């Protein structure tokens, strides 16, 4: 049922709700999800195109604005708007028809730009500043919009478009030289000097404002050796500073589109090796924390000594350690010298001398003779291992005791191990 | 040629998938610890299987984590200038540490840890934290690759646009503190012995002397 539900949900999760980003895109490359009838829905968007002039001059500037309203909106409220030279779906960007995009509202030079719409009835308006093609004649530009809403992708197209008549350039038309790139980024707290390659102008001014609706101020540009120049006031924070260029002579008065000037984002960077050390430090600390917690809790549960007692109805002798080397060394007196052993052997014919000095301490418990054997008598003051064991606190059998039969599991060894060791004649 | 991003996607899917199975098995085994009827109904084989599944799936997923870290670093490009990648690297250390703690605890304490409720809760809590960090890492990767992640729908999903800036000297000090902490725990804290899988006070189920 869950899988079936997911299959039904899948179609509504098509397209890319977060947008694909600004780029130069043919209409068909904007995403087939918006045009596929099986995946998309109807759009109620209304598209209105406008320009700052009806006629443009060959290679002259013109601003095209597109307003989209009444559209459905997805939760991300993203709207992607195309400016197109035709609707064929292939090679249909304005650049393909000879137009040049100087910049758009997002600061790029792409025919597709994305923006967010907060109120569908109010809509969104985006604009492009273009340089008209050199070829004179009647040119048409179209607009299309991709958006979402109701869980499906949607698309609307303005198939009428807007006609622009491109005519010859008057000899004395004031205009910005081809190749000029507007300043769009600057450092905060510093004045910005604009160098404006304006030709055929007797007066050049720079108009600026804060935000789209702020009051405008005008700065007169001065003509120098490098051309016209004007100084924009500094910004003390990253505000939306906009400016445009006003050019005029006795016959014409021209203006550019508003250009948004943003504060330079300080490049953030860090030392990757420092991050690697931090990563290792955090990893070590977390491992230590986990292990410490587990060990502390295990001990608070009286593990491991009481683990068997709490989990098995085991005999008390099952908690006596098999390896008593340490206990033996603690409780036993120093081993006698060879002379002492010989003296004792002479006094008691039944005593079989042992070379205690050659006894390896690590294997003392396994190599010592059986404490109950009548054949051996300990030296004076020597306490048998079993006696020593009885004086200490019980512990557990070692699971890796070499005397453990190979076919016994842990449970069998813990329960019957003591008897088995006794039967072997070995001491615990 | 297949890029590092593709290998990173494969590694990430392996890690998230296997570790999810590990946590699911851990949670079910923990529930059985608290529910005797459920444990009896499941039977010893199922309980042992859940324990083994949690351990082996965690081990497999953990073995892939280094591969995921390396391919992710290679796919990220200029990691030093991306706070999200930096945060991802730091969280990778946290993720690896939690999973090592989980696996180490299970291997040292043995399957008998599930017979003790508090130990079982701690083990499950570690696994839960570890998988949360794992999912968080995957979400950051989704933000980097697609601009969105499924955890965006959570109201408390943290933001990673900013990363801590610590000097390399302090970073080395931090690493040494962590290393010393780990060594102290490993070598100075008393070691518990492995808990065998035994039945609680059930003398009737004691084994026969010879198997």
């Amino acid at each position: 049922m869950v899988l079936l539900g997911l299959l039904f949900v899948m179609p509504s999760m098509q397209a890319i709700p977060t947008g694909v980003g600004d780029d130069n895109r043919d209409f068909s490359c904007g995403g087939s999800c918006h045009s596929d009838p099986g995946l998309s829905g109807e759009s109620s968007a209304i598209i209105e195109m406008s320009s700052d002039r009806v006629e443009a001059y060959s290679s002259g500037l013109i601003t095209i604005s597109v307003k989209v309203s009444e559209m459905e909106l997805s939760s991300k409220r993203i709207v992607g708007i195309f400016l197109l030279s035709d609707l064929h779906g292939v090679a249909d960007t304005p650049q393909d028809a000879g137009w040049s995009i100087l910049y758009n509202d997002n600061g790029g030079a792409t025919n597709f730009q994305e923006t967010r719409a907060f109120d569908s009835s109010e809509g969104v308006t985006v604009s492009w500043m273009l340089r008209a093609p050199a070829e004179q004649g009647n040119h048409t530009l179209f607009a299309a919009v991709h958006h979402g809403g109701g869980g499906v992708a949607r698309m609307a197209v303005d198939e009428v478009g807007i006609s622009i008549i491109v005519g010859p350039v008057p000899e004395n038309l004031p205009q910005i030289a081809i190749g000029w790139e507007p300043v769009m980024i600057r450092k905060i707290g510093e004045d910005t000097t604009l160098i404006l390659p304006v030709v055929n102008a007797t007066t050049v001014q720079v108009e600026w404002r804060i935000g789209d609706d702020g009051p405008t101020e005008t700065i007169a540009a001065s003509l120098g050796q490098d051309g016209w120049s004007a100084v924009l006031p500094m910004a003390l924070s990253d505000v939306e500073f906009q400016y445009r260029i006003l050019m005029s002579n006795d016959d014409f008065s021209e203006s550019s589109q508003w250009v948004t000037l943003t504060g330079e984002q300080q490049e953030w960077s860090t030392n990757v090796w420092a991050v690697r050390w931090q990563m290792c430090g955090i990893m070590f600390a977390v491992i230590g924390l986990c292990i410490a917690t587990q060990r502390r809790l295990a001990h608070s549960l009286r593990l491991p000594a009481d683990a068997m007692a709490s989990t098995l109805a085991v005999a008390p002798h099952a908690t006596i350690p098999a390896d008593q080397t340490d206990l033996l060394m603690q409780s036993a007196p120093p081993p006698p010298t060879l002379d002492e052993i010989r003296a004792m052997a002479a006094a008691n014919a039944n005593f079989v001398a042992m070379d205690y000095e050659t006894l390896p301490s690590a294997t003392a418990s396994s190599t010592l003779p059986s404490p109950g054997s009548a054949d051996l008598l300990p030296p004076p003051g020597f306490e048998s291992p079993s006696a020593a064991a009885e004086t200490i606190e019980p512990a557990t059998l070692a699971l890796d005791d070499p005397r453990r039969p190979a076919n016994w599991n842990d449970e069998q060894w813990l329960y019957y191990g003591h008897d088995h060791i006794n039967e072997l004649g070995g001491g615990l | 040629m297949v890029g590092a991003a593709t290998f990173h996607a494969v590694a990430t899917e392996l890690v998230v998938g296997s570790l999810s199975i590990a946590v699911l098995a851990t949670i079910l085994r923990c529930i059985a610890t608290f529910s005797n009827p459920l444990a009896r109904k499941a039977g010893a084989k199922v309980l042992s299987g859940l324990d083994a599944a949690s351990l082996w799936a965690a081990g497999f997923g953990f073995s892939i984590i280094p591969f995921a870290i390396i391919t992710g670093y290679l796919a990220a490009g200029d990691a030093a200038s991306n706070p999200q990648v930096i945060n991802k690297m730091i969280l990778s250390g946290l993720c690896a540490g939690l999973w090592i703690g989980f696996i180490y605890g299970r291997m040292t304490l043995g399957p008998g840890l599930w017979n003790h409720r508090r130990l079982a809760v701690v083990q499950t809590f570690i696994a839960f934290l570890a998988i949360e960090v794992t999912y968080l890492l995957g979400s950051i990767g989704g933000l980097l690759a697609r601009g969105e992640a499924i955890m965006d729908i959570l109201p408390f999903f943290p933001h990673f646009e900013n990363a801590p800036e610590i000097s390399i000297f302090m970073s080395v000090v931090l690493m040494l503190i962590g290393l010393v902490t780990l060594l102290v725990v490993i070598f100075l804290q008393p070691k518990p012995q492995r808990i065998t899988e035994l039945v609680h006070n059930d003398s009737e189920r004691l084994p026969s002397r010879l198997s």
Side-chain angles (χ1 to χ4, degrees), chain A residues 304-319:
Chain A
D306 288 350
M308 304 358 153
S310 63
T311 55
L312 261 186
V314 295
H317 57 243
T319 60

Side-chain angles (χ1 to χ4, degrees), chain B residues 33-54:
Chain B
T33 300
F34 282 83
S35 172
N36 286 332
L38 181 64
R40 277 197 295 271
K41 192 173 182 180
K45 282 188 177 179
V46 172
L47 297 181
S48 176
L50 287 173
D51 172 60
S54 71

Side-chain angles (χ1 to χ4, degrees), chain B residues 12 25 64 76 78 103 109 113 138 160 177 189 205 207-208:
Chain B
T12 303
I64 305 293
D78 185 15
I103 295 170
L109 293 176
L113 77 87
F160 295 99
I177 291 174
Q189 194 177 21
R205 293 185 58 185
S208 60

Side-chain angles (χ1 to χ4, degrees), chain A residues 183-192 233-238 261-265:
Chain A
V183 177
M184 304 182 72
I185 191 166
R186 65 171 176 173
K187 292 182 178 178
I188 295 174
E190 294 182 7
D191 292 333
T192 305
M234 71 175 70
L236 299 178
S237 62
D238 189 12
L261 186 59
T262 57
E264 185 177 1
Q265 297 292 327

Side-chain angles (χ1 to χ4, degrees), chain A residues 107-416:
Chain A
T110 60
N111 74 316
F112 176 79
Q113 57 178 318
E114 291 177 343
T115 186
R116 290 180 187 271
F118 298 101
D119 186 353
S120 176
S121 59
E122 187 176 335
V124 292
T125 302
V126 296
S127 57
W128 288 262
M129 185 175 183
L130 303 106
R131 190 177 294 282
E135 181 185 352
Q136 298 174 18
N138 193 357
H139 296 259
T140 304
L141 292 174
F142 303 89
V145 57
H146 280 181
H147 62 100
V152 295
R154 300 173 189 271
M155 178 185 71
V157 184
D158 179 5
E159 297 181 349
V160 177
I162 185 170
S163 292
I164 307 294
I165 299 171
V166 177
V169 183
E171 289 186 357
N172 62 339
L173 179 72
Q175 57 181 322
I176 302 175
I178 296 175
W180 175 69
E181 292 183 359
V183 177
M184 304 182 72
I185 191 166
R186 65 171 176 173
K187 292 182 178 178
I188 295 174
E190 294 182 7
D191 292 333
T192 305
T193 301
L194 296 178
I195 304 298
L196 307 170
V198 177
V199 296
N200 301 327
T202 55
T203 304
V204 176
Q205 294 176 311
V206 177
E207 201 172 38
W208 64 270
R209 66 188 181 188
I210 303 296
D212 292 334
D213 303 324
T216 58
E217 300 284 340
T218 303
I219 302 170
S222 58
L223 184 60
Q225 291 182 344
D226 299 329
W228 296 90
S229 65
V231 179
L232 294 176
M234 71 175 70
L236 299 178
S237 62
D238 189 12
V239 296
E240 188 180 341
F241 190 99
Q242 297 182 341
Y243 71 93
R244 68 173 180 173
I245 303 163
L246 307 176
M247 305 159 284
S248 61
N249 58 22
D250 293 340
D251 299 323
F252 299 96
S253 181
E254 295 287 318
S255 65
S256 70
Q257 190 195 2
W258 287 100
V259 179
T260 300
L261 186 59
T262 57
E264 185 177 1
Q265 297 292 327
Q266 192 169 5
E267 187 78 13
W268 183 88
S269 183
T270 189
N271 189 322
V272 177
W273 273 106
V275 178
R276 287 175 180 148
W277 291 124
Q278 293 168 42
M279 179 174 70
C280 292
I282 290 173
M283 184 179 70
F284 292 147
V286 169
I287 296 171
L289 180 65
C290 291
I291 296 175
T293 306
Q294 290 159 342
R295 287 186 176 181
R296 187 173 181 83
L297 192 56
H299 284 287
S300 71
L301 294 171
R302 302 184 66 79
L303 296 172
D306 288 350
M308 304 358 153
S310 63
T311 55
L312 261 186
V314 295
H317 57 243
T319 60
I320 299 174
D323 185 356
Q324 296 183 349
T325 305
D326 294 339
L327 301 175
L328 174 64
M329 299 310 293
Q330 292 169 9
S331 58
T337 63
L338 281 174
D339 294 338
E340 290 174 342
I341 294 172
R342 291 192 183 102
M344 285 186 290
N348 189 343
N350 292 329
F351 182 73
V352 178
M354 292 180 62
D355 190 353
Y356 281 89
E357 289 182 346
T358 61
L359 278 177
S361 59
T363 57
S365 63
S366 59
T367 56
L368 279 174
S370 171
S373 172
D375 296 335
L376 300 179
L377 289 177
F382 183 82
E383 189 176 358
S384 69
S386 60
E390 288 168 3
T391 61
I392 54 108
E393 293 182 5
T396 181
L397 278 170
L399 294 175
D400 56 351
D401 192 302
R403 293 166 292 187
R404 172 180 168 175
N407 59 344
W408 283 25
N409 60 29
D410 291 350
E411 203 171 352
Q412 290 169 319
W413 174 246
L414 291 171
Y415 192 73
Y416 299 107

